[in-house]
């Protein structure tokens, strides 16, 4: 499976050949360095470990630096991709050109954190009437199930921490690949804040 580590730039819009406007997310893909390879004989499965963003030597602990070959500087971001479709060697760099013949991709990232939220924002509850004297506007309502069983059951939708979760958006159409600018444009939105780290893979279901 093809995959790379990338950065989210932001959203914009482009026009296709027919003049139809398409909202797209711009993804900046710097060259990923092959840090290590894993084979079925040694590890029990085939995989490739990619790294992105070099770290200063004085900020790297020896334990972390030992997993990198001598000719490769330590990287900030590491990601292991199993069953990699491309034959690679340690030290080789992979860029956005990998997705030139890929029609759809899956993007994984950490979603935006929204803090502690109520049931209306978190779960889309309808809420009570907004009229005078209602006294029930944005609350969740009863959750105790009366005398039987007399306590809250599991998985009841309640207020709580919202966002900041690992999210994968599947089947995003690749609109444009620009190797010169090292940019990948996909239709629609991807999870995460601006400049966050993304895991971009060839779509599993398409």
């Amino acid at each position: 499976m093809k995959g790379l580590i990338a950065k989210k730039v932001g959203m914009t819009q482009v026009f296709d050949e027919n003049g139809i406007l398409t909202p797209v997310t711009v993804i900046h893909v710097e060259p990923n360095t092959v840090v290590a390879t894993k084979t079925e004989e040694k590890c029990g499965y085939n995989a490739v470990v990619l790294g992105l963003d070099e770290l200063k030597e004085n900020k790297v602990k020896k334990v972390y630096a030992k997993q990198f070959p001598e000719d490769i500087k330590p990287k900030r971001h590491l990601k292991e991709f199993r069953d990699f479709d491309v034959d690679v060697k340690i030290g080789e760099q992979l860029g956005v050109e990998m997705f030139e013949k890929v029609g759809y991709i899956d993007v994984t990232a950490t979603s935006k954190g929204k803090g502690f939220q109520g049931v209306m924002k978190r779960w889309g509850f309808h809420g009570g009437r907004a009229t005078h004297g209602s006294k029930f506007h944005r609350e969740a309502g009863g959750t105790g199930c009366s005398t039987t069983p007399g306590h809250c059951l599991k998985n009841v939708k309640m207020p709580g921490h919202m966002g900041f979760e690992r999210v994968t958006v599947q089947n995003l159409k690749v609109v444009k690949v620009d190797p010169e600018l090292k940019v990948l444009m996909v239709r629609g939105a991807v999870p995460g804040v601006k400049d966050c780290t993304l895991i971009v893979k060839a779509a599993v279901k398409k």
Side-chain angles (χ1 to χ4, degrees):
M1 177 184 294
K2 295 179 181 179
L4 290 174
I5 309 171
K7 295 286 184 69
K8 179 180 177 181
V9 177
M11 291 199 70
T12 183
Q13 54 192 19
V14 296
F15 292 90
D16 61 7
E17 298 174 355
N18 299 322
I20 299 175
L21 186 143
T22 303
V24 296
T25 299
V26 182
I27 300 173
H28 187 229
V29 184
E30 283 288 341
N32 287 206
T33 305
V34 180
V35 175
T37 56
K38 298 186 178 181
T39 59
E40 197 166 351
E41 293 76 17
K42 291 184 178 180
C43 305
Y45 61 95
N46 297 317
V48 172
V49 180
L50 300 180
L52 182 68
D53 290 346
E54 292 184 0
L55 289 170
K56 293 182 179 179
E57 295 182 0
N58 59 352
K59 292 188 177 182
V60 180
K61 294 184 178 179
K62 290 183 179 179
V63 178
Y64 185 76
K66 284 182 179 179
Q67 61 182 318
F68 297 92
E70 294 182 358
D71 56 340
I72 297 177
K73 294 184 179 180
K75 307 294 181 181
R76 185 183 306 277
H77 305 290
L78 291 177
K79 176 62 180 177
E80 181 181 290
F81 296 91
R82 294 200 178 194
D83 300 324
F84 209 69
D85 295 343
V86 184
D87 294 331
V88 295
K89 297 180 180 178
I90 296 177
E92 186 177 348
Q93 291 193 335
L94 305 176
V96 72
E97 299 85 4
M98 288 180 56
F99 294 102
E100 285 184 339
K101 297 183 180 180
V102 176
Y104 294 85
I105 62 172
D106 297 340
V107 179
T108 303
T110 302
S111 62
K112 291 182 180 180
K114 300 182 184 299
F116 190 98
Q117 298 296 335
V119 291
M120 289 183 68
K121 183 177 177 69
R122 192 184 186 197
W123 302 111
F125 278 26
H126 186 274
R129 296 174 63 182
T131 54
H132 177 69
S134 169
K135 298 184 179 180
F136 177 74
H137 302 294
R138 301 185 66 89
E139 289 82 358
T143 57
C145 300
S146 190
T147 306
T148 306
H151 61 84
C152 283
L153 300 175
K154 287 184 179 180
N155 303 321
V156 176
K157 293 178 178 178
M158 290 187 173
H161 188 272
M162 182 180 177
F164 203 69
E165 297 176 337
R166 201 69 168 167
V167 178
T168 299
V169 178
Q170 296 181 324
N171 302 331
L172 292 169
K173 185 178 180 180
V174 178
V175 177
K176 185 178 181 180
V177 178
D178 194 333
E180 293 183 3
L181 297 176
K182 303 175 184 177
V183 159
L184 177 70
M185 293 185 183
V186 296
R187 184 175 65 189
V190 301
V193 298
K194 187 179 179 181
D195 293 331
C196 71
T197 304
L198 307 174
I199 305 300
V200 183
K201 298 180 181 179
V204 177
K205 296 180 180 179
K206 280 198 178 183

